[in-house]
């Protein structure tokens, strides 16, 4: 009933539009009883290798996750995150069960000892170190005296058990990962054997794409030979026209006029006194706080501001104005503003740098500082003398010597106003000119201070009104959206774009939407649109209007993609360049077969090139990029031997080896074998899980419930 609800909110909409809207309901199928998702079949959100993931348990976990993550996480982000966690947990638990992997209490304790849980104070002894007996005692105490905390711990314990099983499982696999000395030697030679070569390249770009004809049959054959590249999930294409509820030019002018009218005094008749009273405007009011509370969308900010803190559109003007002067109205984003300078402080903001030399016992001192106060004073005076030298670089002295957190920034503290810093520090900065370098003592230590800059600050009162669409504008937008929907539904589906262009509406396409997608470019989070597009009863060409953020979207479903291999039409963007490359290579090879390298270069108007110290691990050729097959072929040749024509990545090549340099002998290849072993072990967790997931039979029912 979205349309009727919108109409009820807009009392000035014409009766004609109500009729049109009701007509839209009927012909766009909104009154269908089955809703978006069809029937809720079954009670599992997923089935993984025959094991159900209960929707009730899943919803509970999503609810728990919603309390742990910030509000910026959308409901679908939470659903998808919990789903991925459940799939992972289920797949791995099936492995644990098949292999008989379980953990005992001592393994749980060992896991806690080597994880973040060991940092919980309740589990530590008097020295701040995790203690097994203290840990057991704390859990027993929670169980007896703090049931809520104990229940929370039981949930943590489940997670710990799962994590401990994972660690054990992956460690077992890593234990089987190794590399022999022979493999280490091979890897060493791949990286260090070198070859110099001369080569000629006939680039594929030398043959225009327009001369290569590719049939649908050839594309289909390429798809069949490279199925992994062309697997696709269910997807949808849509296009839409967005009717945004934004202020019109008339709305902007009205807000500008309203705010301008508040500038000057007004005269109002008082019935109680039978007199006319003068009401001070923004220009003359004596109580700015009350005036802005009553008339402005922003309150009076008493904080003095430097130029960088003022609106960029007005900063230069405001800083140049005298106290009491007014600027505006001016537009700043979605607001019209009038600003009045209430007060100004010359040099009210200081930019300074410092070198902090602290001592043991000073406030907030780092534990690494062990010098005495006397030693700190002596060092500070020494650095002061260095800082005052003509060739001194203050930032370098600060980076190398300061105990303060600003040391990595060369001691830079940025701009600050009075009252921010410690008293002695504050007084030095505001009572001395720019360029002064001096020494002060505070509770934090000794400070060698350099005054870098000073700026004026001003106190500004700003009368602001937000520019919002008026009721008339909102009604017009609603009317336009409804009329466009009606016109589109009354016409053939393919006329959607033409009808939009006739009214100068922009049609925006969104391609390959996934079944669990939520965000649509140009519309934001619009799960209802995605659900509609994937509804079995929604056909290609169907049109529907949706209430979206700040307006309406009239959406048309333009294409459906089935799960499985892409069609030749959908795959052509990927397949055509590769097929053309193959066909071009065949042409180039046929035209140059039997020719010498010099003749190939001359006949194809290309130059002979050279490459030096090329390795198999870095198979890059100057001007050609990565060419692993070409480089691999060169390594298979002897010195002064020339190859046949080679189908490379960027063209057809012929190479001649001019030098081969074997890697220097190494006494032992254990270092290289260990490196291979470590590299392989580091990939185990991700690679093993991804392999298990790819092999698993997963039925994803999320779209049925969300």
């Amino acid at each position: 009933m979205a349309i009727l609800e919108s109409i009820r909110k807009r009392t000035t909409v014409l009766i004609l539009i109500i009729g049109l809207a009701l007509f839209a309901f009927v012909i766009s199928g909104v009154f269908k009883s089955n809703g978006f998702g069809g029937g809720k079949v079954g009670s599992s959100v997923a089935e993984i290798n025959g094991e159900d993931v209960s929707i009730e348990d899943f919803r509970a976990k999503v609810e728990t996750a919603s309390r742990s993550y910030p509000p910026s996480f959308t409901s679908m982000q939470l659903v998808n995150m919990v789903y991925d966690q459940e799939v992972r947990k289920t797949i791995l638990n099936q492995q644990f069960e098949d292999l008989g992997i379980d953990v005992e209490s001592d393994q749980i304790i060992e896991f806690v000892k080597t994880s973040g849980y060991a940092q919980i104070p309740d589990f530590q002894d008097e020295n701040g170190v995790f203690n097994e007996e203290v840990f057991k005692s704390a859990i027993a105490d929670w169980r007896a005296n703090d049931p809520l905390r104990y229940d929370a711990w039981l949930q943590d314990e489940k997670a710990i058990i799962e994590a401990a099983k994972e660690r054990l499982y992956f460690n077992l696999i890593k234990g089987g990962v190794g590399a022999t000395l022979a493999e280490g030697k091979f890897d060493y030679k791949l990286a260090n054997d070198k070859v110099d070569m001369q080569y000629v390249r006939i680039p594929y770009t030398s043959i225009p794409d327009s001369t290569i004809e590719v049939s649908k049959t050839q594309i289909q054959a390429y798809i069949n030979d490279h199925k992994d590249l062309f697997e696709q999930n269910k997807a949808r294409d849509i296009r839409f026209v967005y009717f945004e509820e934004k202020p019109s030019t008339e709305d902007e002018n009205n807000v500008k006029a309203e705010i301008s009218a508040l500038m000057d005094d007004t005269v109002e008749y008082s019935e109680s006194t039978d007199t006319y009273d003068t009401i001070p405007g923004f220009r003359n009011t004596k109580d700015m706080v009350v005036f802005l509370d009553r008339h402005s969308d922003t309150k009076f900010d008493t904080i003095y501001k430097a130029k960088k803190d003022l609106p960029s559109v007005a900063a230069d003007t405001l800083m140049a104005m005298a106290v009491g002067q007014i600027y505006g109205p001016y537009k700043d984003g979605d607001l019209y503003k009038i600003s009045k300078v209430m007060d100004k402080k010359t040099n009210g903001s200081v930019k300074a740098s410092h070198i902090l030399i602290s001592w043991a016992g000073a406030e907030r001192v780092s534990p690494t500082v062990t010098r005495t106060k006397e030693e700190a004073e002596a060092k500070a005076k020494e650095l002061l003398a260095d800082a005052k030298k003509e060739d001194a670089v203050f930032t370098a002295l600060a980076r190398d010597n300061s105990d303060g957190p600003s040391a990595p920034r060369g001691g830079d503290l940025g701009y600050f106003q009075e009252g921010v810093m410690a008293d002695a520090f504050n007084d030095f900065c505001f009572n001395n000119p720019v360029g002064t370098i001096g020494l002060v003592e505070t509770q934090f230590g000794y400070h060698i201070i350099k005054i870098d800059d000073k700026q004026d600050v001003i106190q500004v009162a700003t009368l602001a009104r937000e520019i919002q669409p008026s009721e008339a504008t909102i009604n017009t937008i609603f009317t336009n959206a409804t009329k466009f929907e009606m016109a589109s539904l009354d016409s053939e589906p393919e006329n959607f774009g033409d009808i939009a262009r006739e009214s100068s509406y922009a049609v925006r396409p969104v391609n390959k939407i996934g079944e669990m997608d939520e965000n649509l470019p140009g519309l934001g989070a619009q799960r209802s649109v995605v659900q509609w597009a994937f509804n079995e009863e929604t056909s290609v060409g169907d049109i529907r209007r949706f209430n979206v953020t700040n307006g309406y979207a009239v959406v048309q479903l333009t294409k459906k993609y089935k799960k499985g291999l892409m069609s030749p039409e959908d795959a052509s963007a990927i397949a055509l360049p590769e097929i053309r490359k193959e066909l071009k290579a065949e042409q180039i090879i046929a035209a140059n077969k039997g020719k010498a390298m010099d003749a190939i270069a001359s006949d194809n108007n290309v130059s002979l090139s050279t490459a030096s110290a090329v390795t198999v691990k870095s198979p890059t050729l100057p001007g050609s990029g990565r060419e692993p097959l070409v480089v691999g072929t060169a390594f298979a040749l002897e010195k002064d031997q020339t190859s046949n024509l080679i189908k490379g990545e960027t063209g057809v090549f012929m190479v001649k080896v001019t030098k081969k340099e074997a890697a220097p002998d190494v006494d032992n290849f254990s270092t290289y074998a260990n490196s291979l072993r470590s590299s392989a072990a580091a990939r185990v967790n991700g690679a093993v899980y991804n392999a298990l997931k790819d092999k698993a039979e997963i039925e994803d029912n999320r779209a049925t419930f969300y």
Side-chain angles (χ1 to χ4, degrees):
M1 305 298 290
I3 295 177
L4 291 177
E5 183 179 349
S6 297
I7 292 174
R8 280 198 292 269
K9 293 180 180 177
R10 295 162 173 76
T11 57
T12 59
V13 177
L14 298 174
I15 297 299
L16 172 62
I17 301 303
I18 297 177
L20 288 172
L22 289 172
F23 183 58
F25 261 92
V26 176
I27 60 179
S28 61
V30 175
F31 283 134
K32 292 174 182 174
S33 61
N34 63 336
F36 278 132
K40 296 289 189 286
V41 180
S43 59
S44 64
V45 73
E47 185 180 294
I48 304 162
N49 294 325
E51 183 176 341
D52 287 338
V53 177
S54 162
I55 183 60
E56 288 78 13
D57 291 344
F58 185 83
R59 283 173 172 156
K61 288 173 182 175
V62 172
E63 175 63 26
T64 300
S66 70
R67 294 193 291 268
S68 304
Y69 287 85
S72 58
F73 273 67
T74 67
S75 59
M76 288 310 301
Q77 285 176 317
L78 291 169
V79 166
N80 295 336
M81 181 185 68
V82 173
Y83 176 82
D84 290 340
Q85 292 172 349
E86 288 300 295
V87 170
R88 177 184 174 87
K89 187 177 81 171
T90 303
I91 289 174
L92 290 178
N93 277 336
Q94 289 170 350
Q95 289 292 301
F96 303 157
E97 186 173 347
D98 289 347
L99 297 172
I101 292 176
D102 206 349
V103 293
E104 303 296 333
S105 60
D106 58 335
Q107 292 169 300
I108 295 174
I109 292 172
E110 185 62 29
F111 183 90
V112 171
K113 186 188 299 183
T114 56
S115 69
Y117 289 98
Q119 304 304 314
I120 297 175
D122 288 356
F123 300 163
Q124 297 174 344
D125 59 20
E126 63 275 8
N127 297 317
V129 178
F130 176 83
N131 184 286
E132 182 178 332
E133 295 305 318
V134 174
F135 165 71
K136 292 179 179 178
S137 177
I139 301 302
D141 181 64
W142 294 350
R143 183 176 184 179
N145 302 310
D146 195 342
L148 290 177
R149 194 168 186 183
Y150 180 68
D151 287 343
W153 167 253
L154 291 180
Q155 296 303 313
D156 285 345
E157 194 175 69
K158 288 181 181 179
I160 289 170
I161 291 170
E162 289 298 321
K165 287 180 181 179
E166 279 194 31
R167 179 188 287 184
L168 178 58
Y169 173 70
F170 287 122
N171 283 344
L172 286 171
I173 297 173
K174 289 174 184 177
V177 173
T180 65
L181 291 177
E183 289 171 323
K185 179 179 180 180
F186 182 67
D187 188 65
Y188 168 75
K189 291 182 71 63
L190 289 179
N192 294 281
D193 282 353
K194 297 174 182 176
V195 67
D196 294 354
M197 69 179 80
Q198 186 181 51
Y199 65 92
V200 63
R201 178 183 72 124
I202 307 167
Y204 295 130
T205 53
S206 63
I207 301 177
D209 286 352
S210 58
T211 65
I212 305 296
E213 293 186 4
V214 180
S215 67
K216 184 175 179 180
T217 303
Q218 287 173 301
I219 297 176
Q220 185 63 60
Y222 189 85
I223 294 170
N224 294 337
D225 290 340
H226 303 83
K227 290 182 178 179
D228 289 347
L229 293 177
F230 298 102
E231 288 285 347
Q232 68 177 8
N233 292 318
K234 287 171 64 177
R236 300 289 186 266
D237 288 351
I238 64 168
R239 57 180 176 173
F240 68 90
V241 174
Y242 178 37
F243 294 84
E244 183 180 4
E245 287 186 346
K246 62 181 180 180
S248 65
T249 302
E250 184 179 356
D251 294 335
E252 288 195 18
N253 292 335
N254 287 340
V255 173
K256 185 177 181 180
E258 289 173 6
I259 201 171
S260 298
L262 293 168
M263 284 269 285
D264 298 314
D265 301 348
T266 56
V267 176
E268 293 183 3
Y269 173 72
S270 173
E271 190 173 332
S272 60
T273 60
D274 193 26
T275 59
Y276 288 90
D277 297 332
T278 299
I279 310 299
F282 180 70
R283 190 188 308 276
N284 298 320
T285 182
K286 302 301 181 185
D287 193 338
M288 187 61 75
V289 173
V290 172
F291 184 89
L292 294 182
D293 279 347
R294 183 177 300 168
H295 299 291
S296 176
D297 289 338
T298 59
K299 307 306 179 186
F300 182 35
D301 187 353
T302 59
I303 296 174
Y304 286 76
K305 291 181 170 58
K307 179 180 175 179
K308 67 179 180 63
D309 301 317
L310 298 169
S312 58
V313 296
D316 289 332
T317 303
L318 292 173
M319 291 304 300
M321 286 165 41
V323 173
Q325 287 188 308
I326 293 176
Y327 174 64
Y330 62 91
K331 188 178 178 183
D332 181 22
D334 295 329
L335 297 167
Y336 258 116
K337 295 180 177 180
I338 301 174
S339 295
K340 180 179 182 180
V341 178
M342 304 296 289
D343 195 14
K344 177 178 286 191
K345 291 182 181 179
T346 303
N347 294 332
S349 178
V350 172
K351 184 177 187 291
S353 303
H354 81 139
I355 304 169
L356 173 63
I357 305 300
S358 199
W359 62 82
E363 192 170 324
R364 298 185 198 168
V365 67
S366 168
T368 59
V369 175
T370 58
R371 70 175 72 90
T372 65
K373 183 175 182 180
E374 291 74 18
E375 290 170 337
E377 183 178 11
K379 183 173 181 180
K381 289 179 178 178
E382 180 184 332
L383 285 168
L384 175 63
D386 291 340
K388 287 186 174 183
K389 292 177 181 178
E390 286 188 12
D391 59 348
V393 180
F394 195 90
T395 54
L397 289 172
R399 274 196 299 268
D400 296 340
N401 297 281
S402 181
D403 296 326
S406 64
R409 303 190 302 274
D412 184 12
L413 297 170
Y415 285 93
F416 53 89
Q417 295 185 33
E418 285 202 71
V420 174
M421 300 295 183
D423 291 344
F425 197 108
N426 180 88
D427 294 345
F428 178 86
C429 292
F430 285 94
N431 294 333
N432 288 287
V434 173
T436 303
I437 298 175
L439 178 66
V440 300
E441 178 189 344
T442 71
Q443 66 270 34
F444 305 108
Y446 290 100
H447 306 260
I448 300 95
I449 305 171
K450 180 175 179 286
I451 303 175
D452 298 315
D453 189 25
K454 292 192 175 185
Q455 291 183 347
D456 295 345
V457 292
I458 58 175
Q459 185 188 63
V460 181
T462 297
L463 172 63
R465 285 284 178 89
E466 186 177 359
I467 306 168
Q468 293 183 322
S470 64
E471 186 75 12
T473 298
I474 291 173
N475 289 337
T476 299
I477 293 167
F478 174 70
T479 301
N480 290 341
T482 303
K483 285 182 176 179
F484 174 70
E485 181 190 20
M486 297 300 95
S488 299
L489 288 167
D490 285 342
S491 183
E492 295 299 318
E494 59 269 19
N495 294 334
F496 185 90
D498 294 334
I499 296 169
R501 282 186 286 274
E502 287 173 6
S503 299
S504 299
Y505 299 145
V507 179
R508 308 184 196 181
V510 183
N511 297 329
K512 295 292 183 73
I513 300 169
E515 194 170 16
M516 291 308 298
D517 285 350
E518 178 180 27
N519 288 303
L520 301 178
L523 290 179
Q526 299 298 335
R527 182 64 187 155
S528 60
V529 176
V530 178
Q531 289 175 311
W532 171 78
F534 278 90
N535 186 351
E536 290 182 2
E537 296 190 8
T538 304
S539 302
V540 171
D542 283 1
I543 294 167
R544 180 166 178 184
R545 177 168 53 82
F546 291 86
N547 288 6
V548 297
T549 306
N550 296 326
Y552 310 91
V554 179
V555 185
Q556 182 181 50
L557 178 64
T558 56
K559 192 166 186 178
K560 291 184 176 184
Y561 301 88
K562 295 180 180 179
K563 182 178 176 62
L565 286 179
M566 293 182 186
S567 67
E569 292 78 11
D570 296 333
S572 61
I574 300 171
L576 276 177
E578 297 302 319
I579 297 172
R580 288 194 186 110
K581 189 164 74 173
E582 289 287 330
L583 296 175
K584 288 179 182 182
E586 291 174 6
Q587 284 188 23
I588 293 170
I589 290 172
N592 293 278
K593 193 171 184 180
K595 293 181 182 178
M597 189 180 294
D598 290 342
I600 291 174
S602 176
D603 293 348
N604 291 276
N605 198 28
V606 294
S607 302
L608 292 175
S609 303
T610 59
S612 302
V614 181
T615 68
V616 174
K617 275 204 167 182
S618 298
T620 301
L621 299 180
S624 302
R626 285 181 59 83
E627 290 289 352
L629 179 59
V630 177
V631 172
T633 302
F635 269 91
L637 300 174
E638 298 297 329
K639 183 178 180 297
D640 296 326
Q641 191 176 358
T642 302
S643 73
N644 294 321
L645 290 165
I646 309 164
K647 294 180 184 179
E649 295 296 318
T650 60
V652 173
F653 290 77
M654 180 178 283
V655 300
K656 178 182 179 180
V657 175
T658 56
K659 181 182 176 182
K660 296 189 81 170
E661 182 182 344
D665 289 335
V666 175
D667 293 336
N668 192 310
F669 292 97
S670 60
T671 301
Y672 301 95
N674 289 337
S675 178
L676 284 176
R677 188 180 302 114
S678 298
S679 177
R683 298 192 301 270
V684 161
N685 290 30
V688 169
Y689 171 67
N690 288 334
L692 292 171
K693 185 179 178 183
D694 289 342
K695 186 182 176 183
E697 295 181 2
I698 301 175
E699 182 181 330
D700 183 356
N701 299 323
R702 278 176 293 171
T704 304
F705 300 96
Y706 295 97

